[in-house]
């Protein structure tokens, strides 16, 4: 039986993964350009981070196309989200998803559309 890899991306790695999930396969240059729209980051910093994600952490796959390397994320977006969610619930909310939801709804401006969607989801859960 194979052991499932558990990915624990840092904040910087998560930013790279988020870009890859939308634009893969892609190059370091594209990742750097998109990250630079949000914050100041050096090209070599992005390159080194992606090399570590590829070589050491096995989070990325890489193929060569001419002189260019194209990168893709190995973990799926929902896999990473589930891991982050579980960690947040278990550490900050003592295992209570309900506390997390109540905190989120109480601390942010929730639109009527979001409340309607939540109510629809709750109604569906009651029917199960």
């Amino acid at each position: 039986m194979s052991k499932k890899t558990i990915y624990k991306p840092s904040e910087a790695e998560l930013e790279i993964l988020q870009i890859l999930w939308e634009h893969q396969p892609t190059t370091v240059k594209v990742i750097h350009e998109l990250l630079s729209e949000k914050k100041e980051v050096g090209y070599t910093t992005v390159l080194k981070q992606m090399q570590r994600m590829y070589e050491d952490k096995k989070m990325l796959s890489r193929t060569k196309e001419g002189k260019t390397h194209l990168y893709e994320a190995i973990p799926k977006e929902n896999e990473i989200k589930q891991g982050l969610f579980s960690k947040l619930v278990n550490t900050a909310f003592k295992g209570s998803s309900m506390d997390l939801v109540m905190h989120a709804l109480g601390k942010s401006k929730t639109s009527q559309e979001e409340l309607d969607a939540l109510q629809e989801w709750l109604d569906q859960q009651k029917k199960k």
Side-chain angles (χ1 to χ4, degrees):
M1 181 157 72
S2 67
K3 183 180 173 190
K4 184 169 173 67
T5 303
I6 297 175
Y7 298 98
K8 296 179 182 178
S10 67
E11 189 174 327
E13 291 167 345
L14 189 56
E15 289 175 323
I16 290 169
L17 288 171
Q18 288 171 330
I19 292 171
L20 282 170
W21 290 322
E22 286 187 41
H23 302 281
Q24 64 186 350
T26 197
T27 63
V28 173
K29 181 182 180 202
V30 170
I31 299 284
H32 174 255
E33 288 170 357
L34 291 169
L35 283 174
S36 294
E37 291 174 3
K38 295 187 238 175
K39 64 181 184 178
E40 192 173 317
V41 61
Y43 177 85
T44 55
T45 301
V46 175
L47 173 63
K48 188 67 178 165
Q49 185 76 49
M50 291 179 68
Q51 286 173 334
R52 256 187 264 127
M53 290 171 73
Y54 169 71
E55 294 168 3
D56 302 336
K57 296 190 171 190
K58 311 294 186 224
M59 292 174 142
L60 305 179
S61 64
R62 181 173 76 184
T63 55
K64 193 164 185 167
E65 195 171 280
K67 293 183 178 182
T68 304
H69 284 110
L70 296 173
Y71 290 86
E72 291 187 64
I74 292 175
K76 304 291 182 227
E77 184 175 6
N78 63 341
E79 181 181 351
I80 296 296
K81 283 181 178 180
Q82 183 59 45
L84 292 170
F85 176 79
S86 294
K87 181 179 179 182
L88 179 63
V89 169
N90 289 328
T91 56
F93 295 94
K94 299 178 187 167
S96 174
S97 297
M98 177 60 84
D99 282 352
L100 179 134
V101 170
M102 298 304 285
H103 182 81
L105 291 174
K107 293 292 181 186
S108 63
K109 185 101 172 134
T110 307
S111 71
Q112 188 60 48
E113 291 167 342
E114 291 171 319
L115 291 171
D116 291 344
L118 178 59
Q119 185 62 56
E120 185 178 323
W121 183 83
L122 289 169
D123 292 344
Q124 290 174 358
Q125 295 305 305
K126 288 178 184 178
K127 291 178 184 176
K128 288 184 179 180

